[in-house]
Amino acid sequence: MQQIIIFLIKNKTGLVFIILMTIALGLTFKSHTYHNSKLVSSANFISGTVLGSSENIHQYFDLKVQNEILQKENENLRRKLLNIPSAKDSLPIKLEFIEDSLYKITRSRVISNHYDKIDNFLLIEGGTKDSISEDLGVISSQGIVGIIQDVSPKYSRVISILNTNTSINAKLKKTYHFGTLTWDGKDPNILSLIDVPRSAPVKLGDTITTGGRSLVFPENVPIGIISNFQLDENIGYYFIDVKLFNDMTNLKHIYIIENSRKTEALELLNPDLR
């Protein structure tokens, strides 16, 4: 207490000056509208700047949470889309069948992605602990990515569509003519669609999708558009270049597709598995 009294006595002149200046400024701003408006404006600017910066910082640290929410929404939407019956299906479908989800969707993240070799693979998060198994399809928001080839407890190895050993059933979306999608090991943006019959009305810019004639990918998952084609007169089939919707050199968030009736179908196809 004594030290405080000594401090006040020692600095009395300066303290009196500050008190008088504060009173004078207060009276000035109170009696003059212009000065008062400037003070309020400055206070609003400072508080707005601080609050804006605070909100920007909050949004930055909230990006991960918001990204997780968006991924979850995408996962749910894709599950619904893949399980909606085709409008062109002429057979009546019961409501119970619609509610029985044929495809299970699991979101995941790419750990590593190779696209500069002849036979490329990806490593993604999720393995046997997440009920992920071999031979499941992998897609992104833009189109197909590959097929799971091997799994560990926490990770999965995906054979990329940019792999010369990959063959995927695909079709012309408009005409339902089918072919086989392969890669020649050259351009990571272009795949080849072979075995499309000459009767197919092939046109530049037409969309290519999955054909649905496998237990890996459902029908109508986007693949790309026709960028070039030629007809081999000797064998009567087209060779078609397909420009991918997916940028296979820039993958991060992906989805794993599981056909819930795959085991049942395989048992019928291969009775020895029973």
Side-chain angles (χ1 to χ4, degrees), residues 15 42 79 94 112 131 155 162 164 170 219 221 234 244 274:
L15 292 173
S42 299
R79 183 183 297 110
K94 296 181 179 180
S112 66
S131 301
Y155 299 98
L162 303 181
T164 57
E219 186 178 8
V221 176
N234 295 324
L244 296 174
R274 296 179 183 177

Side-chain angles (χ1 to χ4, degrees), residues 119-168:
D119 298 321
N120 296 289
F121 296 87
L122 301 93
L123 182 67
I124 64 173
E125 285 185 343
T128 53
K129 287 186 175 181
D130 307 288
S131 301
I132 295 174
S133 59
E134 298 175 0
D135 298 325
L136 301 184
V138 179
I139 65 173
S140 75
S141 59
Q142 300 299 315
I144 61 173
V145 173
I147 300 171
I148 294 179
Q149 185 186 58
D150 197 12
V151 292
S152 69
K154 295 183 179 180
Y155 299 98
S156 298
R157 172 183 163 105
V158 178
I159 181 170
S160 171
I161 56 174
L162 303 181
N163 190 306
T164 57
N165 296 310
T166 303
S167 296
I168 296 173

Side-chain angles (χ1 to χ4, degrees), residues 34-227:
Y34 174 77
H35 293 91
N36 185 51
S37 64
K38 287 297 182 181
L39 176 63
V40 173
S41 177
S42 299
N44 288 338
F45 173 77
I46 294 172
S47 61
T49 303
V50 172
L51 290 174
S53 300
S54 176
E55 179 63 20
N56 288 336
I57 293 172
H58 174 73
Q59 290 181 0
Y60 175 79
F61 286 104
D62 194 47
L63 284 176
K64 183 177 181 180
V65 175
Q66 294 302 320
N67 191 43
E68 289 289 328
I69 294 173
L70 289 175
Q71 286 187 65
K72 188 64 178 178
E73 290 179 351
N74 286 337
E75 180 182 347
N76 292 331
L77 288 172
R78 288 188 175 280
R79 183 183 297 110
K80 292 178 181 178
L81 286 172
L82 290 175
N83 288 290
I84 293 176
S86 172
K88 296 183 178 180
D89 198 340
S90 59
L91 295 176
I93 300 176
K94 296 181 179 180
L95 182 60
E96 291 78 11
F97 181 79
I98 297 175
E99 292 179 343
D100 180 16
S101 296
L102 176 58
Y103 295 102
K104 175 184 176 183
I105 309 296
T106 304
R107 58 194 173 97
S108 182
R109 186 170 66 93
V110 175
I111 302 299
S112 66
N113 175 27
H114 298 282
Y115 49 83
D116 55 351
K117 300 178 176 60
I118 295 178
D119 298 321
N120 296 289
F121 296 87
L122 301 93
L123 182 67
I124 64 173
E125 285 185 343
T128 53
K129 287 186 175 181
D130 307 288
S131 301
I132 295 174
S133 59
E134 298 175 0
D135 298 325
L136 301 184
V138 179
I139 65 173
S140 75
S141 59
Q142 300 299 315
I144 61 173
V145 173
I147 300 171
I148 294 179
Q149 185 186 58
D150 197 12
V151 292
S152 69
K154 295 183 179 180
Y155 299 98
S156 298
R157 172 183 163 105
V158 178
I159 181 170
S160 171
I161 56 174
L162 303 181
N163 190 306
T164 57
N165 296 310
T166 303
S167 296
I168 296 173
N169 174 252
K171 68 174 184 178
L172 278 68
K173 183 178 181 179
K174 290 183 178 179
T175 66
Y176 285 88
H177 286 86
F178 292 88
T180 301
L181 192 71
T182 63
W183 190 52
D184 60 8
K186 297 177 182 178
D187 189 340
N189 298 305
I190 303 293
L191 266 66
S192 300
L193 184 63
I194 60 175
D195 299 332
V196 177
R198 67 188 306 160
S199 58
V202 179
K203 296 181 181 179
L204 292 176
D206 279 357
T207 300
I208 304 297
T209 67
T210 53
R213 291 187 173 182
S214 75
L215 298 173
V216 178
F217 293 104
E219 186 178 8
N220 292 325
V221 176
I223 296 176
I225 60 173
I226 298 175
S227 60

